[in-house]
């Protein structure tokens, strides 16, 4: 077992966290402890800093104990806090697979952690050996993303496990798109690996990017460290309430996912036949990565026609690639029509 306590930055280990009024007392009473207004119920009160009710709901849904759940202002907050808790600015290093989601590098840069990019195989599969071959003594953290953005493929569990087994630091596994796969992700192995952190979000399958709710699932000691460092009221009342409503309706999410998957199949089939499309990569997510000959021109043409896609053609192994998020049937039809007339 890895001594995760020892991986935490010394100043964070010694930190005396802010203790808020709602931390000290949260029961039914006349509350004269937090300088809140007595008017404008219920928004006059600070929200639950520990999001107890919401965590219980998520715990039940994911079959994970509440103590293993950290909730943040999007998973982006969790990414930033993880780096702040574990990585000493100016000296500790982070391995990020290349290509992958851009926020890991931005958060690393903000926190002055040194980034080592390690390439995926040209077919976008994970090469655990290459990842581990780049670990040095100051490497504290490895970011993996499955399904990966922008390549849209689920990573092989065996390779992820090899990374977990072979690394003495923290492994952050971003499962933002897991609901679009047939897989349950790796929550089931959380209790075997104290250095594993799984990120989930309400921004994709749950259709709620606007409310900003993300989560980190991890060893209770890790979630405790994250809780000590976060802003006391990082998940606002509106978000907590809206998330309670949403998460009560798993059927709705499942319907949305089915519709997106059906549209993904239809869109891929329609694009497959077009001259302009050189390749469509197999997708486990709510987007398609497609290769064209002149991505800049196609991007521009689509934008002129009112459809904005993401130009990923300058990323490693992504020559000629555009990333297309699956829209509604009508939105996808407009894209198909534009592609046909390019
Ligand atoms: C969209 C996305 C997220 C979501 O971030 P939030 O801050 O929760 O909205 C996380 N990771 C990846 C790889 C993503 O593509």
């Amino acid at each position: 077992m890895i001594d995760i306590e020892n991986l935490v930055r010394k100043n964070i280990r010694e930190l005396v966290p802010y203790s808020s009024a709602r931390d000290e007392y949260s029961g039914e009473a006349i509350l004269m402890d937090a300088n809140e207004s007595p008017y404008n119920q219920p928004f006059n009160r600070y929200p639950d800093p520990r999001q107890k009710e919401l965590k219980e709901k998520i715990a039940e849904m994911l079959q994970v104990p509440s103590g293993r759940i950290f909730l943040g202002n999007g998973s982006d907050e969790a990414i930033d806090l993880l780096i702040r808790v574990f990585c000493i600015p100016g000296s500790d290093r982070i391995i990020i697979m290349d290509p992958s989601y851009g926020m890991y590098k931005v958060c690393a840069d903000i926190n002055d952690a040194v980034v080592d990019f390690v390439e995926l195989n040209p077919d976008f599969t994970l090469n655990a050996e290459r990842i581990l071959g780049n670990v040095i003594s100051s490497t504290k953290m490895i970011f993996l993303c499955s399904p990966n953005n922008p390549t849209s493929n689920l990573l092989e569990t065996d390779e992820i496990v090899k990374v977990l087994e072979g690394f003495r630091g923290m492994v952050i596994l971003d499962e933002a798109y897991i609901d679009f796969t047939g897989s349950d992700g790796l929550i089931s192995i959380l209790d075997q690996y104290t250095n594993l952190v799984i990120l989930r979000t309400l921004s994709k399958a749950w259709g709620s990017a606007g409310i900003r709710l993300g989560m980190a699932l991890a060893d209770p000691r890790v979630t405790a460290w994250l809780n000590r460092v976060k802003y006391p009221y990082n998940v606002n009342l509106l978000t907590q309430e809206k998330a309670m409503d949403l998460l009560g309706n798993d059927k709705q999410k499942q319907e949305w996912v089915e519709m997106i998957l059906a549209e993904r199949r239809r869109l891929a089939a329609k694009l497959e036949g077009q001259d302009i499309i050189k390749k469509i990569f197999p997708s486990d997510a709510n987007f398609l990565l497609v290769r064209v000959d002149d991505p800049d021109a196609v991007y521009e043409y689509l934008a002129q026609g009112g459809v904005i896609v993401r130009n990923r053609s300058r990323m490693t192994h992504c020559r000629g690639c555009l990333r297309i998020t699956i829209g509604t049937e009508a939105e996808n039809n407009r894209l198909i029509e534009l592609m046909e007339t390019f």
Side-chain angles (χ1 to χ4, degrees), residues 73-77 79 100-101 104 145 147-149 174 176-177 199-204 209 212-215 287 323:
N73 185 334
S75 28
D76 289 345
E77 183 186 6
I79 294 168
S100 194
Y101 184 45
Y104 312 138
C145 184
N148 187 33
N149 176 5
D174 189 341
Y177 298 98
L199 302 180
R200 296 284 186 97
T201 179
L202 263 61
S203 296
K204 307 287 154 69
R212 310 306 302 132
L213 188 76
M215 57 194 106
F287 57 89
R323 193 191 71 192

Side-chain angles (χ1 to χ4, degrees), residues 206-257:
W206 285 97
S208 301
I211 75 170
R212 310 306 302 132
L213 188 76
M215 57 194 106
L217 311 171
D219 186 277
R221 284 167 296 179
V222 173
T223 56
W225 290 115
L226 295 173
N227 281 326
R228 287 161 60 103
V229 175
K230 76 180 182 72
Y231 289 159
Y233 306 109
N234 63 327
V235 179
N236 73 68
L237 181 63
L238 296 172
T239 297
Q240 292 193 43
E241 284 185 346
K242 185 70 192 172
M244 284 299 291
D245 289 349
L246 268 167
L247 296 175
N249 199 346
D250 190 72
K251 237 181 85 204
Q252 171 69 83
K253 181 204 71 171
Q254 213 39 50
E255 254 173 53
W256 287 336
V257 167

Side-chain angles (χ1 to χ4, degrees), residues 120-337:
L120 294 173
N121 295 319
D123 64 357
F124 301 144
T125 51
L126 178 67
N127 187 322
E129 212 173 307
R130 193 180 304 132
I131 296 264
L132 295 173
N134 277 271
V135 169
I136 60 173
S137 61
S138 52
T139 307
K140 271 286 179 64
M141 190 168 276
I142 297 174
F143 277 96
L144 303 177
C145 184
S146 176
N148 187 33
N149 176 5
T151 62
S152 73
N153 58 308
L154 197 64
L155 302 181
E156 260 187 68
T157 301
D158 285 356
E159 290 297 299
I160 296 172
V161 169
K162 272 189 218 162
V163 173
L164 282 165
E165 298 272 355
F167 180 52
R168 313 281 309 159
M170 301 302 296
V171 177
I172 319 301
L173 176 64
D174 189 341
E175 293 187 335
Y177 298 98
I178 201 72
D179 297 285
F180 299 105
T181 70
S183 162
D184 290 332
L186 293 190
I187 285 182
S188 62
I189 65 168
L190 257 186
D191 50 8
Q192 291 171 52
Y193 297 98
T194 52
N195 61 335
L196 173 61
V197 180
I198 294 178
L199 302 180
R200 296 284 186 97
T201 179
L202 263 61
S203 296
K204 307 287 154 69
W206 285 97
S208 301
I211 75 170
R212 310 306 302 132
L213 188 76
M215 57 194 106
L217 311 171
D219 186 277
R221 284 167 296 179
V222 173
T223 56
W225 290 115
L226 295 173
N227 281 326
R228 287 161 60 103
V229 175
K230 76 180 182 72
Y231 289 159
Y233 306 109
N234 63 327
V235 179
N236 73 68
L237 181 63
L238 296 172
T239 297
Q240 292 193 43
E241 284 185 346
K242 185 70 192 172
M244 284 299 291
D245 289 349
L246 268 167
L247 296 175
N249 199 346
D250 190 72
K251 237 181 85 204
Q252 171 69 83
K253 181 204 71 171
Q254 213 39 50
E255 254 173 53
W256 287 336
V257 167
E258 301 297 335
M259 287 194 292
I260 288 167
L261 294 184
E263 276 301 297
R264 187 183 77 195
R265 281 190 292 274
R266 188 178 73 88
L267 182 58
K270 289 280 186 188
L271 294 179
E272 193 75 62
Q274 297 187 350
D275 283 347
I276 170 181
I277 304 289
K278 298 303 161 202
K279 184 175 172 78
I280 302 176
F281 292 87
S283 172
D284 297 306
N286 67 335
F287 57 89
L288 286 175
L289 191 72
V290 304
R291 176 167 284 147
V292 297
D293 278 334
D294 189 347
D296 294 352
V298 175
Y299 174 88
E300 219 19 73
Y301 181 76
L302 293 175
Q304 290 298 323
V307 175
I308 313 299
V309 298
R310 206 82 200 265
N311 189 341
R312 301 281 78 172
S313 62
R314 282 161 193 84
M315 295 182 85
T316 305
H317 303 319
C318 291
R319 178 184 43 81
C321 287
L322 300 174
R323 193 191 71 192
I324 304 170
T325 307
I326 308 302
T328 63
E329 183 179 353
E331 290 168 343
N332 300 331
N333 284 342
R334 177 65 182 150
L335 176 96
I336 293 162
E337 187 183 291

Side-chain angles (χ1 to χ4, degrees), residues 52-66 69 244 247-248 250:
K52 185 165 180 291
E53 208 189 352
L54 183 52
K55 277 183 191 162
E56 277 164 11
K57 186 140 215 158
I58 293 170
E60 188 193 306
M61 179 179 86
L62 297 177
Q63 295 292 299
V64 168
S66 279
I69 302 171
M244 284 299 291
L247 296 175
D250 190 72

